[in-house]
Amino acid sequence: MIEARGLARTFRSRGGPVEAVRGVDLDVAPGELVGFLGPNGAGKTTTLRLLTTLLRPTTGRATVGGCDLLTDPVGVRRQIGYVAQGGGTAYECRVREEIEIQGRFYGLSKADTVRRGAALASRLDIAGLEHRLVRTLSGGQRRRLDIALGLIHAPALVFLDEPTTGLDPQSRANLWEHIRALRAEHGLTVFLTTHYLDEADALCDRVLVIDNGTIVATGTPDELKSRISGDSVSVEVAPGTVPDAAGIAGRLPGAHEVTTGENTIRFRVPRGDTALPELLRALHTHGIDLRSVQVHRPSLNDVFLTLTGRTLRDAEVPGAA
Ligand SMILES: Nc1ncnc2c1ncn2[C@@H]1O[C@H](COP(=O)(O)OP(=O)(O)OP(=O)(O)O)[C@@H](O)[C@H]1O
């Protein structure tokens, strides 16, 4: 659905050129829900604006929905929906008017706009709000209206730029449900940017991590987490049994970094959830009394830290110590 090679964009500014995007390669398959994760200023919005034909790349090429970005930008626009950061609705407009304007903008007939608008409003839980002024909607309702507007022409692919920024946790979780349902029901391909780790983790099939205009990692959230360091397992056993238990832990497939304390053994394995049953069986067979066990799967923040030497939070505050 998206194939980009060497996509780059440099801006001229008073302080000199800014290389916002530096040679991005990416592939998105039809029906995928892909998250573009990175700190503020990483190049997420610029990449999105390149892929939606709102900006011309300085170098590189891409096809979106089979249409070339440079030679067939109109073809690209026909295939896509774009929901910008903060949306594009006018506060003093009524919801119905916004839907009508958007439908007209995409060349839909009035009847098609009404039919499609009603179906999307119902799907996105904003039915019955058609007569309301946009400014009277809650933050979550407004974001859902933004998404309905982005989908009015039934695109195969939708770009969502930070769809849940500014929403409270409950509204964010609710929006994730809607995005998942839209993908499940319509086979929609979704490409979204986020700097929320939990969002990428909970929502996306695959995550592309971008930093300083370059993609530094791609994979499913689980793949990224296990590729970096594996899960850490901490086991508490009866005093005196630590050496035997440490030996057993060290023989588990892929076990490494085994360390011991007075009653504890810590180690890493590629997958804690699959290593655990084998560990429990072996400890039982050797008559070792297990007191507690904890598995910690690294977060996407650990992944970002390993890849860049900074946490996402540090990266978001330029000059932070
Ligand atoms: N029109 C412009 N002129 C000059 N520099 C720009 C312009 N647009 C973006 N930049 C710079 O390019 C870099 C990437 O910006 P971009 O908006 O793509 O980042 P982002 O990852 O989307 O950040 P955020 O999460 O804050 O939206 C930043 O350093 C930004 O200041």
Side-chain angles (χ1 to χ4, degrees):
M1 187 57 83
I2 306 176
E3 189 189 311
R5 295 291 175 267
L7 214 53
R9 172 70 197 212
T10 302
F11 293 107
R12 281 179 231 281
S13 80
R14 276 206 201 141
V18 180
E19 289 182 81
V21 176
R22 314 165 184 233
V24 159
D25 294 342
L26 59 89
D27 294 277
V28 175
E32 257 194 312
L33 207 169
V34 173
F36 207 32
L37 176 77
N40 284 328
K44 302 182 298 294
T45 299
T46 305
T47 306
L48 229 60
R49 299 185 72 211
L50 291 170
L51 292 173
T52 51
T53 76
L54 295 170
L55 270 179
R56 264 182 89 84
T58 314
T59 56
R61 46 162 288 269
T63 59
V64 176
C67 301
D68 190 282
L69 219 54
L70 292 176
T71 59
D72 189 10
V74 174
V76 172
R77 282 179 218 149
R78 281 209 184 96
Q79 317 252 359
I80 63 170
Y82 175 55
V83 181
Q85 228 175 84
T89 46
Y91 275 27
E92 296 308 323
C93 259
R94 294 196 187 274
V95 170
R96 180 176 23 83
E97 291 166 341
E98 283 288 6
I99 293 172
E100 278 168 14
I101 293 167
Q102 190 78 357
R104 214 175 310 144
F105 182 68
Y106 277 104
L108 299 186
S109 70
K110 187 152 188 191
D112 280 348
T113 303
V114 169
R115 188 182 45 78
R116 181 100 189 124
L120 282 166
S122 158
R123 181 78 228 47
L124 287 159
D125 259 349
I126 48 171
L129 302 178
E130 288 84 351
H131 301 287
R132 293 262 294 272
L133 290 174
V134 169
R135 74 174 150 79
T136 68
L137 302 182
S138 72
Q141 287 169 336
R142 207 173 305 139
R143 288 313 276 160
R144 299 204 297 279
L145 171 62
D146 290 334
I147 293 177
L149 296 176
L151 296 177
I152 198 80
H153 55 302
L157 163 67
V158 67
F159 291 91
L160 306 176
D161 199 0
E162 297 190 12
T164 64
T165 294
L167 297 184
D168 60 69
Q170 204 180 339
S171 307
R172 291 178 63 217
N174 173 275
L175 196 59
W176 296 349
E177 281 305 313
H178 284 295
I179 294 171
R180 278 196 206 100
L182 283 167
R183 194 269 294 264
E185 284 169 27
H186 303 286
L188 190 65
T189 308
V190 183
F191 189 88
L192 63 88
T193 71
T194 182
H195 42 89
Y196 292 126
L197 296 154
D198 59 338
E199 183 153 289
D201 211 350
L203 189 57
C204 301
D205 302 328
R206 206 152 56 85
V207 180
L208 313 178
V209 185
I210 184 167
D211 188 37
N212 280 326
T214 311
I215 292 184
V216 292
T218 75
T220 65
D222 274 355
E223 265 168 17
L224 287 179
K225 286 186 271 183
S226 59
R227 205 170 79 194
I228 299 305
S229 49
D231 294 348
S232 82
V233 182
S234 171
V235 182
E236 196 186 343
V237 291
T241 59
V242 167
D244 285 348
I248 290 169
R251 288 192 292 278
L252 290 170
H256 58 288
E257 296 176 39
V258 182
T259 58
T260 56
E262 202 180 331
N263 318 337
T264 54
I265 302 106
R266 290 178 206 281
F267 58 99
R268 287 189 177 278
V269 277
R271 290 281 303 268
D273 54 350
T274 53
L276 218 52
E278 198 171 332
L279 173 71
L280 300 189
R281 263 196 307 274
L283 290 175
H284 182 73
T285 307
H286 287 78
I288 296 173
D289 185 21
L290 178 69
R291 296 191 168 168
S292 73
V293 59
Q294 287 180 343
V295 178
H296 170 73
R297 172 149 289 190
S299 68
L300 285 179
N301 198 39
D302 297 329
V303 173
F304 191 78
L305 177 66
T306 310
L307 290 167
T308 67
R310 293 170 299 142
T311 66
L312 267 174
R313 196 170 294 273
D314 290 339
E316 281 172 17
V317 186

